Structure formats: C-alpha cells, structure tokens
Amino acid sequence: MEGEATILKHWLQFVGLCTLLALLPLPALAQETHVTREDGAWGQELTGSLAAVKNLRVKVDMGSVVVRGGQQQGINYAIHTKSYTSSEQDARRQFESYKITAYVKGDTAWIVGDWQGRHPHRFSGEFTINVPRDMSWMKLETDGGNVDATGISGRVEAQSGGGSMHLDDIGGGASAETGGGAIEVGTISGDLGLHTGGGAIEVHHANGKIVAETGGGSVEIESGAQGASIETGGGSIEVRQCTGKVMASTGGGGIDLGDIDGPAEIETGGGSIHVNSAKGPVKASTGGGGIELYGVPSARAETGAGGIVVKLVNTGGERNDSVLETSAGDIMVYIASDVAVTVRASVDLGNGHRITSDFPDIHIASEGNQWGPKALRADGNLNGGGPVLKVHTTTGDICFKRANH
C-alpha cells in the first residue's frame, strides 16, 4: 500500500507539472540574430518561427509591421532593426535595449517589441511576419510605424500612432486607426472601420458597411456593398458606387457620389455637391457651393449661395416631398414623364428674373408692381399631383423642364 501511495504521489506531481507547463508561454521554436554593417549604419536581423495558432498579436514600441498570409503551416518572422550610430558597440547596446520577444500563449501567438529606457533619436525597424492564411483574428499595434496586412481569411485590427495603413484581401472585416497617416484598403469582406487624424482614405471594395473618418484628408470609395458613413474635417469625398445608405459630411470640401442604390445624406461647409443617381431620397446641404442631383426620386437640397440642378425620376421606391432652396442662385428642375408631383415655386426678388416651364399644368404669376419689388410664383399638378415639390430662391431664375430618359 505504501508503495502504491508513493507512485500515486509522484504521478500527481507529474500531472501538476505538465499542467503548469501548459499554462506557460511557449518561446519561439527557432531564433537567430545577426548584426552587420549597412551603408554607414548598423543592422540587426532577427529571424524565428512559431507554431500555427488561431490568433496573432503584434505590439511594438516602434517600427513598421508587415503581415502576409499564405499556405505555410506555421508562423515565420524576420525583424530588421537599424541603428544609425557610428559605433558598433553603441549599436549593439541599442539593439539590446529594444527587447523583442516571440512566444505562443494559449491559442495566440505574440510578437512584442519593448524599449528598455529612452528611445534613440535615429533608429528604425521592420517586422515582417508570414502566417497561415486561415488565421481567425489578429491585432497589429505600433507606436509610430506603418502597418501592411494582406491575405488573411479572418479579422484584422490595426493601430498606429501616426504611420500609414494598407489592408487588402481580408476575409473577416477590418479596422484601422492611425494618428495621422493615410489609409489604403483593397478588398475587404465584412464591415470596415477606418480612422485617421488627418490623412487621406482610399477604399477599393468592401462587402460590409464602411465607416471612414479623417480629421482633414480626402476620402475616396470605389465600391461598397452595405452602405457607408464618411466624415472629414475639410477634404473632398468621392463614392463611385454603393449599395445601401450613404452619409457623407465634410467641413468644406466637395462631395461627388456616383450610383447609390439607396438614400443619401450629404453635407459640406462650403463645397459643391454632385450625385449621379440614387434609388432613395437625397438630402444635400452646402454653405455656399452648387448642388447637382441627377436621377433621384426626391430631394431636399439647400445652399447658401449657389445654383441647384435636380432631375426627378421614378425609381419605384419611396416617394417623399422635395424642397429645393438657395439664397442666391438659379434652380433647374428636370422632371421625368411618369413622375407625379405638386409644384410650389417662388422667387422673392423677381425683378430681372423669371420662372419658366415646359409643362402647361404649371401656372406662373407675378406679384407686386413695376416700381417696387416683384415676387414670382408658380403652382401646378403634374400627372394628377403627388408629393409636394417646393422650389424657392431669394434671387435667381427657376426653370422646369421635361427630363429625357
């Protein structure tokens, strides 16, 4: 019995030790370091590999991060750091101060770059990591370098203190945040969230909803499948094609929307607005630029000083009242033959201006006399009447024309 008790005790100790080892981080499977002279500077190359796991976390105090998904089974990395000091001894001291560790903990691989003490003034780094394409999730963080990730079937989250971002061929949605660099996105399946303190944003194709915000750069979206919300402090906005609702706002740049398969809400502090077509109602406002809305079912367009051109068509969707208003500018309204609306138009200061119409059912009249201010009015029902079309300018011309399909 005593012998059995001793065996049982040793077995329990062994099981406990195995459990403890399973909880500890596993270091890199193989790692090598080389220091060489590089064009007046010193370079260090650190290479290694980690076991294949579901997730990846990269968190570095400085340096760019490049991740490539491929067909390999494990994770391979090459970390190239560069010191611009003339002394090899000083360079090695700097390399040792930038502590780089790589390990696996649970189902997550970690690659960490941590400065011990003060950062040197002239030091650079690039973390290049090759991973299996089918990884589920990764988070890439650097305090100041660029981030570039492509070929991942899962979700990617990227963050930089101020570098540029590039994401492409991502299957599980993505987010990118930088203090001021530009963001470029290729093809993303899933929702997309982009934030930069001031750089430009460019998106080629997103299958999910797009949220793009920049403190002042331009925003360009080639294609979106589930709507977009775009905001910039002052740059221009361009959306070539988007399914779903588009919301676009800029402090002062122009806004250009192509074909929108849904409604749109557009606002700029002073730039021009152009919409090629929209299946849903359009709301457009600018502090002073011109507004052009073509191929829309209804519109609410307002500008402080600029012309308005609107083409109303029957998209088969929701029909709402329309309001077109400018303080100083002409308004041109094209109306398709199958659109039913009730027209209410007015020019406050009609002297030297006029209201004209291709439609006999729109009746035009003037108020006042030849010596004082004269107001112009126009009313009528097209195709029996329908949602109200209110058109108003303080000083300018108003023209109603038949739209050619």
Side-chain angles (χ1 to χ4, degrees), residues 114-364:
D114 184 21
W115 271 108
Q116 313 291 305
R118 295 181 60 185
H119 293 200
H121 293 296
R122 300 186 66 202
F123 194 94
S124 64
E126 181 174 272
F127 292 69
T128 302
I129 307 163
N130 297 307
V131 303
R133 179 181 178 85
D134 61 357
M135 295 195 75
S136 300
W137 172 82
M138 62 179 59
K139 186 170 185 178
L140 315 173
E141 299 176 78
T142 172
D143 276 0
N146 303 331
V147 177
D148 185 344
T150 61
I152 307 299
S153 62
R155 177 170 176 80
V156 174
E157 299 176 11
Q159 185 175 343
S160 173
S164 63
M165 299 277 185
H166 176 258
L167 305 175
D168 190 18
D169 191 14
I170 308 297
S175 66
E177 182 176 352
T178 172
I183 301 176
E184 181 184 3
V185 176
T187 299
I188 303 292
S189 296
D191 292 344
L192 182 62
L194 309 174
H195 306 267
T196 171
I201 296 176
E202 181 179 353
V203 178
H204 291 276
H205 180 72
N207 287 327
K209 182 178 180 180
I210 301 170
V211 176
E213 299 177 358
T214 170
S218 62
V219 180
E220 181 180 344
I221 297 174
E222 186 173 325
S223 175
Q226 295 188 32
S229 176
I230 306 161
E231 184 175 353
T232 170
S236 61
I237 296 174
E238 180 181 2
V239 180
R240 297 178 187 174
Q241 188 278 330
C242 190
T243 300
K245 184 175 183 178
V246 173
M247 301 177 65
S249 174
T250 172
I255 299 177
D256 188 354
L257 305 187
D259 298 319
I260 309 302
D261 191 3
E265 294 184 9
I266 312 159
E267 182 178 1
T268 171
S272 62
I273 294 174
H274 175 270
V275 176
N276 189 58
S277 70
K279 293 291 180 63
V282 175
K283 183 178 181 181
S285 173
T286 172
I291 299 176
E292 297 179 345
L293 310 177
Y294 296 102
V296 300
S298 61
R300 290 183 173 268
E302 181 179 358
T303 174
I308 297 175
V309 179
V310 173
K311 178 181 178 181
L312 295 178
V313 298
N314 190 348
T315 63
E318 182 182 0
R319 300 176 63 210
N320 295 324
D321 292 344
S322 296
V323 179
L324 315 178
E325 188 166 8
T326 176
S327 296
D330 299 335
I331 301 177
M332 177 79 73
V333 186
Y334 294 91
I335 304 174
S337 59
D338 59 348
V339 172
V341 291
T342 297
V343 175
R344 301 285 184 266
S346 62
V347 180
D348 291 344
L349 303 177
N351 298 73
H353 298 289
R354 60 180 183 165
I355 298 177
T356 59
S357 172
D358 287 349
F359 304 93
D361 291 336
I362 296 179
H363 306 289
I364 303 167

Side-chain angles (χ1 to χ4, degrees), residues 20-45:
L20 177 62
L21 291 174
L23 295 174
L24 293 175
L26 298 178
L29 300 178
Q31 188 166 286
E32 295 184 1
T33 304
H34 301 282
V35 176
T36 57
R37 189 69 170 165
E38 296 182 6
D39 299 328
W42 295 95
Q44 176 181 263
E45 188 82 12

Side-chain angles (χ1 to χ4, degrees), residues 11-72:
W11 170 252
L12 291 175
Q13 289 174 343
F14 174 74
V15 171
L17 178 60
C18 291
T19 302
L20 177 62
L21 291 174
L23 295 174
L24 293 175
L26 298 178
L29 300 178
Q31 188 166 286
E32 295 184 1
T33 304
H34 301 282
V35 176
T36 57
R37 189 69 170 165
E38 296 182 6
D39 299 328
W42 295 95
Q44 176 181 263
E45 188 82 12
L46 175 65
T47 59
S49 59
L50 295 167
V53 286
K54 292 182 178 180
N55 307 317
L56 172 67
R57 284 290 308 271
V58 178
K59 186 175 176 62
V60 299
D61 284 347
M62 64 81 58
S64 61
V65 178
V66 179
V67 178
R68 295 286 181 265
Q71 301 303 317
Q72 72 267 13

